[in-house]
Amino acid sequence: MYDYDLLVVGSANADLVIGVERRPEAGETVLGSDLAVHPGGKGANQAVAAARLGARTALLARVGDDAYGRLLLDSQRAAGVDTVGVLVGGAPTGVALITVDPSGDNSIVVSPGANGRLTPADVRAAACLFQGSRVVSAQLEIPLETVVEVVRSLAEGSRFVLNPSPPRPLPAEVLAACDPLIVNEHEAKVVLGEARVSERPEDWARLLLAKGPRSVVITLGAQGALAASAEGVERVPSTKVDAVDTTGAGDAFTAALAWRLGRGSGLAEAAAYAARVGAAAVTREGAQESFPTAEEVEALCCAGPGDASRTPGAGSDDGSGAGPRGESR
């Protein structure tokens, strides 16, 4: 019996958000809205998103002993996330500087702070969390060597989900553990490198599978998503929504997908559900504040497939996995 449906290992940031009419060119200054501060970070976002959906969730992360760290811990606990694995100290809490334009697209710069101090030793010290978790999810806003240690710490029978954001080349050991590897178009190109000899996403999926993952999900904006495994490649439709703010939508997508896979859903079925979760998230401002409950996702179940502007993960601004019109934190 597992104690947790999902263990998220990753970053926890304070999101500092400013609305702009347009993003500045090099050397240009533009005026924006009042500053808004939200709890964020890809790891913390995924944990809250899963807990909101009803998953028993734990977070392994590091924050600073400061006001932003306390903000993040409060947000996790309010959502029902077990924070026993959240370490405090070592550096200031990570910060993400985010601009959001009127279409809902965002651009993000991250100062990792304490996220960069989450070490392989911290992962080994949390062995009990890994033993008690059905699915483990990670991203790349923490050191790559720490993600490698996550893979080595997986309990027998547990499942590993990775969104390689920000994207970088991945060791074969990490790729072989992914089930699935979740990428948007930009991330797919980085992971494939020179192997990307085609412009067809179906070919990208097959090439990514050849690198070792057990399964792959590629998000494709208005074209929905692709779910790929040894059984073949399947298209997943998008869901029509009016995007307000895409911040956090890709993290909601990944969390929902990981949770549904742990419950026994097939890959394409889980990706379709995750697309509805990501679509619901972009209809509200903020990251964690925008994440839907299971009941709110159910309300989107009758939306017509195939006519959304984008599904989570399509954009290319911060490489993290997007909502209907762009990327997300």
Side-chain angles (χ1 to χ4, degrees):
M1 183 67 181
Y2 292 100
D3 296 320
Y4 304 105
D5 299 311
L6 179 64
L7 168 63
V8 181
V9 185
S11 58
N13 295 324
D15 286 350
L16 310 185
V17 184
I18 299 177
V20 294
E21 286 300 314
R22 62 179 177 82
R23 286 185 284 271
E25 303 292 338
E28 181 185 15
T29 298
V30 300
L31 295 178
S33 67
D34 291 342
L35 175 69
V37 181
H38 305 282
K42 295 189 68 60
N45 285 351
Q46 288 183 16
V48 167
R52 288 263 178 86
L53 294 170
R56 297 170 300 163
T57 309
L59 175 65
L60 175 57
R62 184 177 286 277
V63 298
D65 185 10
D66 50 35
Y68 289 151
R70 290 186 286 276
L71 170 72
L72 286 158
L73 282 168
D74 288 345
S75 177
Q76 294 293 309
R77 291 164 180 158
V81 176
D82 190 335
T83 60
V84 67
V86 179
L87 306 169
V88 178
T93 300
V95 173
L97 308 176
I98 304 173
T99 59
V100 182
D101 70 18
S103 74
D105 280 334
N106 60 43
S107 296
I108 303 172
V109 177
V110 176
S111 172
N115 298 306
R117 276 72 165 185
L118 188 67
T119 67
D122 294 331
V123 171
R124 291 190 292 271
C128 59
L129 290 178
F130 288 88
Q131 292 301 315
S133 299
R134 185 185 304 274
V135 180
V136 177
S137 176
Q139 325 80 39
L140 298 183
E141 288 185 338
I142 57 175
L144 184 57
E145 60 265 28
T146 303
V147 177
V148 172
E149 191 62 34
V150 167
V151 168
R152 294 172 180 173
S153 301
L154 295 171
E156 184 176 355
S158 66
R159 189 164 189 160
F160 179 63
V161 175
L162 177 68
N163 171 220
S165 177
R168 71 190 79 169
L170 296 169
E173 181 180 6
V174 171
L175 284 167
C178 295
D179 193 15
L181 176 74
I182 303 174
V183 292
N184 62 24
E185 298 170 66
H186 170 66
E187 292 154 1
K189 293 174 183 178
V190 173
V191 173
L192 285 172
E194 294 181 358
R196 188 179 64 86
V197 295
S198 167
E199 292 302 320
R200 296 183 67 248
E202 288 83 358
D203 293 334
W204 302 349
R206 295 184 182 98
L207 289 168
L208 285 169
L209 283 173
K211 284 183 168 289
R214 301 176 192 181
S215 60
V216 170
V217 171
I218 304 177
T219 52
L220 297 169
Q223 288 72 48
L226 288 179
S229 66
E231 285 70 47
V233 180
E234 185 171 347
R235 282 272 180 173
V236 176
S238 56
T239 301
K240 182 178 177 61
V241 294
D242 293 323
V244 173
D245 181 1
T246 62
T247 308
D251 303 325
F253 179 96
T254 298
L257 179 64
W259 175 53
R260 295 294 284 212
L261 289 172
R263 294 184 61 185
S265 296
L267 186 64
E269 178 188 2
Y273 179 82
R276 293 199 296 273
V277 172
V282 302
T283 63
R284 292 184 290 221
E285 293 184 354
Q288 294 177 20
E289 304 96 317
S290 74
F291 296 155
T293 63
E295 292 76 17
E296 290 168 332
V297 176
E298 186 65 24
L300 286 179
C301 70
C302 297
D307 45 25
S309 41
R310 288 200 192 162
T311 49
S316 59
D317 49 351
D318 78 342
S320 64
R325 287 203 184 111
E327 281 305 301
S328 72
R329 257 270 38 78

